[in-house]
Coordinates of all heavy atoms in Angstrom, one line a residue:
N460 N -35.5 96.6 40.9 CA -36.0 96.5 39.5 C -35.1 95.8 38.7 O -33.9 96.0 38.7 CB -36.2 98.0 39.0 CG -36.9 98.2 37.7 OD1 -36.7 97.4 36.8 ND2 -37.8 99.2 37.7
Q462 N -35.9 95.4 35.2 CA -36.2 95.6 33.8 C -35.2 96.5 33.1 O -35.0 97.6 33.3 CB -37.5 96.4 33.7 CG -38.0 96.9 32.3 CD -38.0 95.8 31.3 OE1 -37.1 95.6 30.5 NE2 -39.1 95.0 31.3
P463 N -34.4 95.7 32.2 CA -33.2 96.4 31.6 C -33.5 97.1 30.3 O -32.6 97.8 29.7 CB -32.3 95.3 31.3 CG -33.2 94.1 31.0 CD -34.5 94.4 31.9
T464 N -34.7 97.0 29.8 CA -35.0 97.6 28.5 C -35.6 99.1 28.7 O -36.6 99.3 29.2 CB -36.1 96.8 27.7 OG1 -35.6 95.5 27.7 CG2 -36.3 97.4 26.3
C465 N -34.8 100.0 28.1 CA -35.2 101.4 28.3 C -36.6 101.8 27.8 O -37.3 102.6 28.3 CB -34.1 102.3 27.6 SG -34.4 104.1 27.7
A466 N -37.0 101.1 26.7 CA -38.2 101.4 26.1 C -39.5 101.0 26.9 O -40.6 101.4 26.7 CB -38.4 100.8 24.6
Q467 N -39.2 100.2 27.9 CA -40.3 99.6 28.7 C -40.6 100.7 29.8 O -39.8 101.4 30.3 CB -39.9 98.4 29.4 CG -39.7 97.3 28.5 CD -41.0 96.8 27.8 OE1 -42.0 96.8 28.4 NE2 -40.9 96.4 26.5
A468 N -42.0 100.8 30.1 CA -42.4 101.8 31.1 C -41.8 101.5 32.5 O -41.6 102.5 33.3 CB -43.9 101.8 31.2
Q469 N -41.5 100.3 32.8 CA -41.0 99.9 34.0 C -39.5 99.8 34.2 O -38.9 99.2 35.0 CB -41.6 98.7 34.6 CG -43.1 98.8 34.9 CD -43.7 97.5 35.4 OE1 -43.5 96.4 34.8 NE2 -44.4 97.5 36.6
Y470 N -38.8 100.4 33.1 CA -37.3 100.4 33.0 C -36.7 100.9 34.4 O -37.1 101.9 35.0 CB -36.9 101.3 31.9 CG -35.4 101.7 32.0 CD1 -34.4 100.7 31.7 CD2 -35.0 103.0 32.2 CE1 -33.1 101.1 31.7 CE2 -33.7 103.3 32.2 CZ -32.7 102.4 32.0 OH -31.4 102.7 32.0
G471 N -35.7 100.2 34.9 CA -35.0 100.5 36.0 C -33.7 99.9 36.3 O -33.1 100.1 37.4
W472 N -33.2 99.0 35.4 CA -31.9 98.4 35.6 C -30.9 99.1 34.8 O -31.1 99.4 33.6 CB -32.1 96.9 35.2 CG -30.7 96.1 35.3 CD1 -29.7 96.1 34.5 CD2 -30.3 95.5 36.5 NE1 -28.7 95.3 35.0 CE2 -29.0 94.9 36.3 CE3 -30.9 95.1 37.7 CZ2 -28.3 94.1 37.1 CZ3 -30.2 94.3 38.6 CH2 -29.0 93.8 38.3
N473 N -29.7 99.4 35.4 CA -28.6 100.1 34.8 C -29.1 101.5 34.3 O -29.1 101.8 33.2 CB -28.0 99.3 33.6 CG -26.7 99.8 33.3 OD1 -26.1 100.7 33.9 ND2 -26.1 99.3 32.1
V474 N -29.6 102.2 35.2 CA -30.1 103.5 35.0 C -29.1 104.5 34.8 O -28.4 105.0 35.8 CB -31.1 104.0 36.1 CG1 -31.6 105.4 35.8 CG2 -32.3 103.0 36.2
S475 N -28.7 104.9 33.5 CA -27.6 105.8 33.3 C -28.0 106.6 31.9 O -28.8 106.1 31.2 CB -26.4 105.1 33.1 OG -26.3 104.3 32.0
Q478 N -27.1 104.5 28.9 CA -28.0 103.5 28.6 C -29.4 103.9 28.1 O -30.1 103.3 27.3 CB -28.3 102.6 29.9 CG -29.3 101.5 29.8 CD -28.7 100.3 29.1 OE1 -27.6 100.2 28.8 NE2 -29.6 99.3 28.9
C479 N -29.9 105.1 28.5 CA -31.2 105.6 28.3 C -31.3 107.1 28.3 O -31.8 107.7 29.3 CB -32.1 105.0 29.2 SG -33.9 105.3 28.8
S480 N -30.7 107.8 27.3 CA -30.5 109.2 27.4 C -31.9 109.9 27.3 O -32.1 111.1 27.8 CB -29.7 109.8 26.3 OG -30.3 109.4 25.0
Q481 N -32.9 109.3 26.7 CA -34.2 110.0 26.6 C -35.0 110.0 28.0 O -35.9 110.8 28.1 CB -35.1 109.2 25.6 CG -35.6 107.9 25.8 CD -34.6 106.9 25.2 OE1 -33.4 107.0 25.3 NE2 -35.1 105.8 24.6
K482 N -34.5 109.2 28.9 CA -35.3 109.2 30.2 C -34.4 109.6 31.4 O -34.9 110.1 32.3 CB -35.8 107.7 30.5 CG -36.9 107.3 29.6 CD -37.4 105.9 30.0 CE -38.6 105.4 29.2 NZ -39.1 104.1 29.6
V483 N -33.1 109.4 31.2 CA -32.2 109.7 32.3 C -31.3 110.9 31.9 O -30.8 111.0 30.9 CB -31.2 108.5 32.6 CG1 -30.3 108.8 33.8 CG2 -32.1 107.2 32.9
Y490 N -33.7 110.5 37.6 CA -34.7 109.5 36.9 C -35.7 109.3 37.9 O -35.4 109.0 39.1 CB -34.0 108.3 36.4 CG -35.0 107.3 35.8 CD1 -35.7 107.5 34.6 CD2 -35.2 106.1 36.4 CE1 -36.5 106.6 34.1 CE2 -36.0 105.2 35.9 CZ -36.7 105.4 34.7 OH -37.6 104.5 34.2
P493 N -40.0 103.9 38.3 CA -41.4 103.6 38.2 C -41.9 102.7 39.3 O -41.1 102.1 40.1 CB -41.4 102.7 36.9 CG -40.1 102.1 36.8 CD -39.2 103.1 37.4

Side-chain angles (χ1 to χ4, degrees):
N460 191 315
Q462 174 50 264
T464 305
C465 177
Q467 295 293 323
Q469 290 180 313
Y470 163 69
W472 180 275
N473 197 8
V474 177
S475 67
Q478 178 76 7
C479 185
S480 58
Q481 65 267 42
K482 291 185 178 180
V483 183
Y490 175 66

